């Protein structure tokens, strides 16, 4: 018996099949091989085509089936993880009306700031746990204001994972965690926020049916099942934003547990049993996958837009012909501190932890007689690690004090330089696991469909593959303050 996990990433679609009895990944692929581009018509804008996500999802599943490592007919449920905060809009025939305004798009920042002031900062923080910022609700308000004719055609709004669920099943649904990440949810009243909807003048009928996150959100359509060689009628039993899903994949369910990821964006995500918020909304709180009206488990999320995207930019511009593994080896040839070269990796839209400011990415201190490729690639990795430290200090101000951080051995954590630098700079040990987002989505489907009795049963065989402890803290304690001075100057 198998479970299928789909991860709708910014760069590509990843899919994985997990065997229920062993809880191990049998096969995984990504599609396309080349990283998907972000459309940026204007500075600060970021869009992608939902139909491209759907086409790439189908191709990824067919590619997965072609491995021959499992019988697709033995898949019993599907789970979906997805890039958070994106806006997808469809008409009554479920036709997409425009490209998705995705997570790193900054066009709605001003609208969000106006809402924060109009609704009341204290009221927003206590009820929404966030400023409306440039989250999904503000993106929808932008469409209403700037594309009113299109807005009138909208039947339902969705997050990216809801859209893929719709294409698989024909059903449209959402969940409390999904609504909270769009800043549509009032945590004090446990309902869709009347303040947000009324301030923006949004129609509540645009919100899909709300279902439990772990539940059957629809059943695979006959024609889709036939095309993808799957059994018709199997459920889509789990849909989660990528960061709560990453936490799930690392068995981070209990208050005080913390997960991290360093993909296109970088995230530290800690679980709390309090309705906590940052006064400046630099870190954000959403409903965790285990949130209920009885147990209000929340996820406190630090997001850095420019992590893997910064490393990708460096690769494409300084060594496009080399693999990431080769770049990681080159980075290890440069000493701690990258011979004085420093990087601010904030070039992928307004950064919430920087109070929604856009500094642009910066490569600083270049010595034309000294610095080479190895210094550049190490400086990029160190700059990203420093950004994590800056954000973690904000989380510490808000009471999140991790004793260990769990991460999947993927993306930047595949680099020994980055992984050790992350540990040295933050001062927090890291446990590395094999699971990734698509595997987590598959396990989530097992929970939602009842294949596993509960969340604990889905992770009985998870093992730490590597444990990293700080060992270069003194060296980085001397370098980090200099990097921070450069950041403050840039702000």
């Amino acid at each position: 018996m198998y479970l299928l996990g789909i991860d709708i990433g910014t760069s590509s679609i990843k899919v994985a099949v997990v065997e229920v009895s062993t809880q191990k990944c049998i096969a995984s692929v990504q599609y396309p091989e080349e990283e998907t581009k972000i459309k940026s018509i204007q500075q600060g804008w970021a869009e992608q085509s939902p139909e491209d996500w759907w086409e790439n999802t189908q191709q990824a599943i067919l590619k997965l089936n072609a491995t021959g490592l499992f019988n697709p007919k033995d898949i019993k449920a599907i789970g979906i993880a997805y890039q958070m905060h994106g806006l997808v809009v469809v008409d009554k025939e479920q036709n997409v009306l425009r490209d998705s305004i995705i997570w790193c798009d900054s066009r709605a920042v001003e609208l969000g700031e106006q809402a924060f002031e109009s609704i009341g900062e204290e009221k927003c923080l206590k009820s929404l746990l966030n400023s409306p910022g440039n989250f999904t609700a503000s993106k929808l308000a932008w469409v209403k204001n700037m594309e009113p004719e299109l807005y009138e055609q909208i039947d339902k709004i969705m997050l990216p994972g809801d859209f893929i669920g719709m294409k698989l099943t024909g059903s449209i649904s959402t969940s409390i965690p999904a609504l909270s990440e769009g800043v549509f949810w009032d945590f004090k009243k446990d309902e869709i926020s009347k303040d947000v909807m009324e301030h923006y003048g949004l129609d509540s009928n645009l919100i899909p049916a709300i279902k439990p996150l772990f539940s059957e959100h629809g059943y695979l359509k006959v024609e889709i099942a036939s095309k993808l060689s799957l059994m018709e009628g199997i459920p889509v039993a789990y849909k989660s934003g990528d960061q709560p899903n990453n936490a799930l994949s690392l068995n981070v369910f209990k208050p005080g547990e913390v997960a991290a990821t360093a993909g296109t964006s970088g995230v530290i995500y800690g679980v709390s049993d309090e309705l906590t918020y940052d006064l400046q909304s630099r870190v954000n709180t959403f409903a965790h996958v285990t949130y209920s009206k009885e147990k209000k488990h929340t996820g406190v999320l630090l997001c850095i837009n420019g992590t893997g995207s910064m490393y990708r930019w460096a690769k494409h511009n300084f060594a496009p012909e080399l693999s990431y593994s080769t770049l990681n080896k080159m980075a290890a040839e440069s000493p701690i501190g990258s011979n004085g070269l420093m990087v601010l990796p904030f070039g992928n839209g307004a950064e919430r932890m920087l109070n929604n400011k856009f500094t642009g990415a910066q490569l600083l201190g270049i010595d034309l007689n000294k610095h080479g490729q190895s210094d550049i690639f190490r400086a990029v990795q160190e700059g990203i690690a420093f950004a994590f430290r800056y954000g973690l200090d904000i989380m510490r101000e808000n009471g999140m004090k991790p004793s260990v951080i769990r991460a999947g051995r993927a993306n930047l954590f595949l680099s020994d330089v980055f992984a050790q630098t992350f540990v040295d700079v933050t001062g927090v040990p890291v446990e590395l696991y094999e699971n990734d987002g698509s595997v987590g989505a598959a396990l989530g489907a097992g929970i939602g469909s009842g294949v596993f009795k509960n969340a604990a049963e889905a992770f009985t065989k998870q093992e730490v593959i590597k444990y990293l402890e700080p060992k270069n803290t003194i060296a980085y304690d001397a370098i980090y303050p200099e990097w921070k001075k450069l950041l403050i100057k840039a702000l």
Side-chain angles (χ1 to χ4, degrees):
M1 184 188 304
Y2 302 108
L3 301 164
L4 173 64
I6 304 169
D7 185 3
I8 312 302
T10 310
S11 299
S12 66
I13 308 298
K14 296 179 181 177
V15 293
V17 164
V18 170
E19 187 178 43
V20 171
S21 61
T22 62
Q23 299 171 11
K24 299 296 183 185
C25 177
I26 299 301
S28 67
V29 302
Q30 71 176 47
Y31 189 92
E33 295 297 331
E34 290 296 318
E35 295 159 336
T36 304
K37 292 182 179 180
I38 295 173
K39 302 175 186 177
S40 186
I41 302 167
Q42 295 186 31
Q43 183 173 339
W45 288 24
E47 299 184 359
Q48 288 184 328
S49 165
E51 293 294 354
D52 285 350
W53 297 336
W54 172 232
E55 177 60 27
N56 291 342
T57 296
Q58 294 176 85
Q59 293 301 321
I61 293 171
L62 292 172
K63 181 179 176 181
L64 186 71
N65 293 347
T67 64
L69 297 173
F70 61 96
N71 183 351
K73 300 292 186 183
D74 291 335
I75 291 171
K76 299 302 180 184
I78 301 170
I80 303 170
Y82 56 87
Q83 49 172 294
M84 298 171 72
H85 316 308
L87 172 68
V88 180
V89 293
V90 298
D91 63 17
K92 291 181 179 179
E93 283 72 45
Q94 299 187 352
N95 298 310
V96 176
L97 294 171
R98 72 174 329 280
D99 281 346
S100 173
I101 304 174
I102 66 170
W103 59 277
C104 54
D105 187 286
S106 306
R107 77 186 72 182
V109 168
E110 186 176 347
L111 284 174
E113 290 173 347
Q114 291 170 357
F116 195 37
E117 183 178 343
S118 178
I119 295 171
E121 295 184 9
E122 183 177 1
K123 191 173 187 180
C124 279
L125 293 173
K126 287 185 175 180
S127 298
L128 307 174
L129 308 184
N130 301 285
S131 161
N134 62 328
F135 294 109
T136 316
S138 301
K139 292 177 169 73
L140 180 60
W142 184 92
V143 172
K144 177 177 179 288
N145 293 348
M146 303 304 294
E147 301 173 347
E149 292 183 4
L150 186 147
Y151 179 83
E152 291 301 319
Q153 299 176 59
I154 299 174
D155 179 61
K156 289 290 181 285
I157 66 166
M158 290 174 279
L159 295 167
D162 299 327
F163 170 75
I164 297 301
M166 179 198 80
K167 297 298 285 187
L168 289 166
T169 68
S171 301
I172 304 177
S173 66
T174 190
S175 65
I176 290 174
L179 291 170
S180 78
E181 72 181 65
V183 191
F184 287 105
W185 193 252
D186 186 324
F187 283 88
K188 291 191 75 173
K189 297 180 179 179
D190 258 328
E191 62 182 26
I192 294 170
S193 172
K194 291 184 175 67
D195 292 320
V196 169
M197 301 301 281
E198 290 175 1
H199 171 80
Y200 284 141
L202 302 175
D203 186 346
S204 60
N205 290 326
L206 300 180
I207 304 293
I210 303 171
K211 293 189 175 184
L213 185 142
F214 295 106
S215 68
E216 296 183 347
H217 291 265
Y219 304 92
L220 193 63
K221 293 189 292 186
V222 174
E223 63 270 26
I224 301 301
S226 176
K227 183 176 181 180
L228 301 179
S229 299
L230 303 173
M231 289 292 291
E232 67 176 89
I234 61 173
V236 170
Y238 169 83
K239 295 185 297 183
S240 172
D242 52 9
Q243 300 312 322
N245 176 72
N246 181 63
L248 173 140
S249 73
L250 297 166
N251 196 19
V252 171
F253 289 100
K254 299 175 184 175
E257 295 179 333
V258 178
T261 183
T264 302
S265 63
V267 168
I268 298 178
Y269 183 98
V271 179
S272 174
D273 55 3
E274 299 178 6
L275 299 182
T276 184
Y277 54 84
D278 177 56
L279 288 173
Q280 299 179 49
S281 207
R282 296 166 297 174
V283 297
N284 304 105
T285 304
F286 307 112
H288 190 38
V289 294
T290 52
Y291 181 93
S292 67
K293 294 184 178 182
E294 296 72 37
K295 293 184 178 180
K296 297 194 175 184
H297 288 178
T298 58
V300 182
L301 186 153
L302 158 78
C303 181
I304 307 162
N305 294 352
T307 53
S309 57
M310 179 75 216
Y311 203 36
R312 177 183 61 194
W313 178 89
K315 176 187 185 302
H316 286 182
N317 286 281
F318 294 107
E321 74 286 356
L322 300 179
S323 66
Y324 283 110
S325 61
T326 300
L327 302 192
N328 294 338
K329 291 175 183 176
M330 290 175 66
E333 296 170 2
S334 180
I336 288 174
S338 307
N339 282 315
L341 197 61
M342 289 195 178
V343 167
L344 299 180
F346 306 115
N348 193 24
E351 294 280 359
R352 291 197 293 276
M353 77 170 187
L354 303 180
N355 298 106
N356 280 322
K357 292 182 180 177
F358 177 74
T359 65
Q362 299 181 34
L363 185 60
L364 301 157
I366 301 171
D367 185 328
L368 302 177
N369 298 310
K370 179 169 65 174
H371 294 129
Q373 285 182 317
S374 61
D375 299 311
I376 292 171
F377 297 127
R378 184 174 190 115
V380 169
Q381 294 191 30
E382 288 183 334
I384 294 167
F386 292 149
F388 271 107
R389 160 69 186 275
Y390 186 88
L392 182 57
D393 285 348
I394 295 172
M395 297 183 79
R396 286 166 169 151
E397 290 174 22
N398 287 276
M400 188 68 64
K401 301 184 186 301
S403 58
V404 66
I405 294 174
R406 298 175 189 171
R409 191 173 176 275
N411 301 313
L412 277 165
F413 279 104
L414 289 169
S415 166
D416 292 338
V417 168
F418 174 78
Q420 188 61 52
T421 302
F422 178 95
V423 171
D424 293 336
V425 170
T426 61
V428 182
V430 164
E431 295 175 349
L432 291 178
Y433 296 82
E434 283 293 355
N435 283 8
D436 65 9
S438 57
V439 173
L443 293 170
I447 300 168
S449 63
V451 169
F452 298 119
K453 294 178 183 177
N454 50 45
E457 188 178 78
F459 294 92
T460 55
K461 296 174 182 174
Q462 190 177 58
E463 297 177 350
V464 178
I465 60 170
K466 193 171 186 179
Y467 182 79
L468 298 170
E469 293 183 292
K471 63 181 183 181
N472 301 304
T473 303
I474 294 175
Y476 280 114
D477 280 348
I479 299 168
Y480 174 72
E482 297 304 314
W483 179 91
K484 187 176 178 180
K485 286 180 185 177
L486 294 172
L487 173 59
I488 300 303
K489 185 178 179 180
L491 295 174

